[in-house]
Amino acid sequence: MLNKDTWTITKLSLTTIIAVSSMLSVGSFAQDNEFVEEVVSIGTRGKPRSVSSSPVPVDVLSAEDISKTGTDDLLMQLQGSVPSLNVHLQPISDAASMIRPANLRGLSADATLIFTNGKRRHHASVIAFQGGGVNDGSQGADVSVIPAIALKRVEVLRDGASAQYGSDAIAGVINFVLDDISEGGSLSYKTGEYTEGDGNTTTIAGKYGMPLGQDGFVTTSFQIRQADDTSRSVQRPDCADLVAAGNSAVANPCQIWGAPIVDDDVTFFMNSGVTNSDGSESYMFGNYSERDVDGGFYYRNPDGRDGVFTNPVGDDPYRLVGNIDGNCAYGTGTSQLIDPSDYATRDLIAADTSCFIMNQVAPGGYTPRFLGNITDTSLTIGRRGDITEGFLSGHSYDLSGSVGRNEADFGLNNTVNPSMGPDTPRNFNTGSYIELEKVFNFDLTRQVDSMTVAYGLEWREETFEVISGEEASWKAGKYALQGFNVGSHGFAGFSPDSQGAFTRRSYGLYLDLENQVSDEFLLGGSFRYEDYSSFGDTNDFKLNARYQVSDNLAWRASTSTGFRAPTQGQVNVVNTQTTLVEGELTQAQTLPGFKLGAGQLKPEEATNTSFGLVYDSGDYSLTADFFVIELEDRVALTSNAAPTAAQVAAMGAAGIPSPELIGQVNYFTNDFDTETTGFDIVATYSTVLMGADADISAAWNHTETEVTNSGAVTGAGKVKRLEEGLPEDRMTITIAQTWSDRVSSFVRANMYGEYYAVHADWFGTDADAEWTVDASVSIDLTDNFYLSAGVQNLFDTEALKMDGSAGAVAEDVPGSVLGGIYYETSPYGIDGAFWYVKAGYNF
């Protein structure tokens, strides 16, 4: 388990000690209704410690507690328990709506290292191109595949740990510890929906433990989930105008803001271990997960979408006409400047067999549906024990190998490839991303008097693969030179020139020392050296300390350096996406920087400093930790821009077909620095309240981010979102009560501080702080059967509404020109109250 309070001492720049806390032994606010003194191993490679005696801050959350929040999404469950973690629901955000990023201490999703049973978990294949500012271009792990039913606990290390664990652990580490029961199990059925009557979600989950040998176990678990979509939309004004003008083919609403459909979401986990004849333990764990996601995109207006229905001449749009056989009386492109509102001429063009307009295919316009099939698999096999003979006698060892694979197969329905004209399909298979990672670890630990010495090595191989889509999804049809866009519109398929597998290897060596100098004073240090086949090597260190001032009070502090290696996806990805630029839909192609003549990406580099106190008097505990994270050379996705002549030449030299037809490009580059400061305060108290045993916890996180340096591609808009897009303050107050042997309740109040709310990456405004409340009650009907009911966002707290300044659909009706009602970057979502019931059986 994890310890939450950490004492890591001053700031020193040395480059030779590593891995102090490779399995985090950090003190936690025993969250919710379990205030047991947890023993944790993450954050230190020394002997496991109680959470209150850890030198670094760690939260330990039981699986039972995090599952009381109403949602089945593990990220949302964790957000309610860990105030320093923010998760955004992201409608109309390309692949970011399929694998949603999460932010620990205000940093991007890939700045937090994810473990399963203390072993590094692979990244997702999806890159969040539209990541809400903070997460633009991030490629973190897919945490949503992990169901609460599979877990024993979750350990959250809130401290820089790259010197212990390597790349990505800048904000901290989240370790998902799988359950290890050897008998019995559980089965549950849960269903619920939002107050609006949509988003119906059904979840069936189960777990079963079996003995393996004399002292071993095999624990299997599964979850099956279906979730309907939601809509918090009104009709777009332009769609309403089309309907009023007699266009009966326009849907109502023509564009939907809300959660996507999640279909056939199935996940299976296995965890096993057995004691060998020599006293060592062999272990194996892994998962198979798969789900289908279907979400909405932006609407394409049949009288105003450039490159499809119209073409601009200066600032004015004109009907885009394709010349099928050279005999079209209305010419090609702009030779006949036909106003889109001239419906009589439009109908004459459609009747001319030598002419083509896209209105013949989609008379009411169209709203693409973005589809994804996400498959995630992993397997870890290892052995650990004590060495009793030879030159390593007296050491403990842990030898393991892991492989993880995440594949996203993309599709786009209800759209067109405009360049194919009347021959265009409407549904497309646009290709796949595959992330494959292999990890080998060999760790040794030895106790020398009061000092724990740990050292070892890690070898990793990361492969990012792009598989091209079907030809129609990327083909430049015969109308491409007549002004029609190329590829499946909205998300063009990956072309053969972008296809390929891109591999990088690295190895790391670490040394970790931890010395109990006296009964009161613990001192530790770590040093790690890593070498990457792509960009070279790094050296990182960490120092931490803890001092017991009295029986109840202790101080802790740490200082460290860290890094995040750019992923192979960020280095090599090719993608075409549609974004909104000043209210206009723009289609841009993301290319590797080296194919545009830019330099290679280099690692982000961090310096972490923290200090805090731990007070523990039994029934009452308090921890307070203050931190500063300086992060340099952060990776940014550049803004869309027309390619320069030099970039067109570089694309041609790199083998990109028809570079002269690419209107907008962007790429990843190291472009800005940030400084993040803040504190976490957590208090717990066990008492009797209204005649029932009560465990009360309160937590407050304050995080401020300042962009201290930015380059040419990080503009004022992105800076504002980086600094203000997440709430600076998050608070939770939780009361878990046991009313009798059979009745228990849970209430949590969540406060989200002020933040900068944004709509469609286009415009924004400052939003006030808001509170939401989650509640549940559970009744044991028999010794085995229980029934519970609950609600997330009990009082149906609404996200900030748009006031119509961006174009309301009608007087006093909130909404934007895009049909949204709320600013969708609300930290607690836009869907409102979610009510559920759950029945379960334990055996």
Side-chain angles (χ1 to χ4, degrees), residues 72 189-192 199-204 224-228:
D72 294 304
Y189 175 88
K190 181 178 179 180
T191 185
N200 184 270
T201 302
T202 300
T203 306
I204 301 173
I224 302 172
R225 180 172 172 266
Q226 302 279 136
D228 293 341

Side-chain angles (χ1 to χ4, degrees), residues 264 347 386 567 647 670 682:
D264 296 328
D347 294 339
D386 298 324
T567 66
Q647 289 175 329
N670 299 92
V682 179

Side-chain angles (χ1 to χ4, degrees), residues 149 181 183-190 203-209 222 742 778-788 837-843:
I149 191 73
I181 59 174
E183 61 179 4
S186 63
L187 186 66
S188 66
Y189 175 88
K190 181 178 179 180
T203 306
I204 301 173
K207 176 168 55 182
Y208 184 60
F222 75 91
R742 295 190 179 277
S778 183
I779 302 173
D780 292 336
L781 301 179
T782 69
D783 290 342
N784 304 101
F785 185 73
Y786 69 90
L787 189 65
S788 62
V837 293
K838 180 178 179 180
Y841 183 77
N842 298 315
F843 54 91

Side-chain angles (χ1 to χ4, degrees), residues 44 125 203 238 240 323 342 354 363 414 542 603 625 644 659 783 837:
T44 178
S125 57
T203 306
D238 59 340
N323 198 327
D342 183 355
S354 294
N414 193 40
K542 181 172 184 176
D625 293 278
T644 64
D783 290 342
V837 293

